[in-house]
């Protein structure tokens, strides 16, 4: 029997961190399942899901806590399989950057009981100008009774300068 663990980590960026993590996970017969990692503000940060045999779980967690000595703070949570109900959608939002866009979009999603499964954001210069553009890509689980047109209209009410694109995609 295996257990899913969700790890989050942050520390000083340096070569070899991913190799050290993967080596430790493999040493305890863990299986690296999903991950998202990035260099942010001179830090290396990430999240990942592993499965590990239950009889190896405590030893793996202990070994991961030892990464603190290397300057990598690792948090471990026991995961469980979740069953989402509703349609899975992809959402893209692009607009002039300003404070509060994520707050406003997430408020609309929450008010409609939409669950955010993945969120990626970035800011980059707009083509042909020095203005900054805010971009976000999300994977959402939308309640079965919510029409896509209703969701799109609610998001477009936030601001006239936001471009909203919703698409139904098959996600594994």
């Amino acid at each position: 029997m295996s257990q899913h663990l969700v790890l989050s980590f942050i520390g000083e960026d340096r070569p070899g961190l991913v190799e050290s993590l993967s080596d430790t996970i493999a040493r305890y017969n863990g299986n690296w399942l999903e991950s998202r990692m990035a260099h942010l503000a001179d830090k290396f940060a990430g999240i990942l899901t592993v499965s590990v045999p239950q009889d190896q779980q405590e030893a793996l967690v202990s070994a991961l806590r030892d990464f603190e000595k290397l300057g990598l703070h690792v948090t471990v949570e026991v995961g469980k399989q979740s069953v989402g109900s509703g349609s899975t959608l992809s959402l893209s939002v692009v607009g002039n950057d300003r404070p509060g866009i994520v707050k406003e979009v997430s408020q609309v999603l929450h008010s409609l009981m939409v669950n955010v499964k993945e969120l990626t954001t970035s800011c980059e210069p707009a083509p042909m100008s020095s203005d900054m553009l805010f971009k976000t890509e999300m994977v959402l689980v939308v309640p079965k009774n919510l029409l896509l047109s209703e969701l799109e209209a609610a998001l477009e009410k936030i601001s006239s300068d936001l471009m909203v694109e919703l698409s139904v995609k098959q996600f594994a």
Side-chain angles (χ1 to χ4, degrees):
M1 190 101 202
S2 67
Q3 177 65 55
H4 282 82
L5 300 176
V6 179
L7 316 178
S8 61
F9 53 86
I10 188 165
E12 296 300 321
D13 196 9
R14 62 178 174 74
L17 286 177
V18 173
E19 191 277 332
S20 294
L21 280 169
S22 63
D23 178 63
T24 300
I25 292 165
R27 218 174 326 129
Y28 295 94
N29 300 309
N31 185 21
W32 186 298
L33 299 173
E34 288 184 85
S35 62
R36 309 287 187 283
M37 299 176 193
H39 178 92
L40 301 166
D42 280 341
K43 298 289 183 182
F44 182 66
I47 55 173
L48 79 107
T49 303
V50 301
S51 67
V52 62
Q54 285 183 338
D55 65 338
Q56 297 285 302
Q57 179 181 338
E58 281 187 45
L60 174 58
V61 170
S62 178
L64 290 167
R65 297 212 192 286
D66 285 344
F67 274 83
E68 197 77 41
K69 297 172 190 165
L70 302 173
L72 190 69
H73 177 71
V74 179
T75 303
V76 180
E77 295 286 333
V78 174
K80 58 184 176 183
Q81 296 292 81
S82 62
V83 178
S85 62
S87 302
T88 302
L89 304 178
S90 173
L91 169 66
S92 297
V93 177
V94 178
N96 292 322
D97 186 39
R98 60 180 166 72
I101 295 174
V102 174
K103 175 185 176 284
E104 293 169 3
V105 170
S106 63
Q107 281 179 325
V108 169
L109 297 175
H110 178 245
S111 73
L112 297 171
M113 299 308 293
V114 174
N115 191 26
V116 177
K117 299 294 274 185
E118 292 183 26
L119 169 67
T120 304
T121 64
S122 64
C123 288
E124 54 193 61
M128 311 297 251
S129 92
S130 61
D131 294 337
M132 293 300 284
L133 284 181
F134 172 83
K135 295 182 177 184
T136 184
E137 298 289 328
M138 297 182 184
V139 175
L140 309 173
V141 176
V142 178
K144 292 178 184 184
N145 62 347
L146 179 63
L147 299 174
L148 296 185
S149 58
E150 188 180 341
L151 175 57
E152 194 166 18
L155 289 166
E156 288 175 344
K157 284 182 186 176
I158 293 172
S159 175
S160 62
D161 74 342
L162 290 181
M163 293 177 284
V164 175
E165 183 180 322
L166 283 169
S167 59
V168 178
K169 292 189 178 179
Q170 293 298 99
F171 293 91

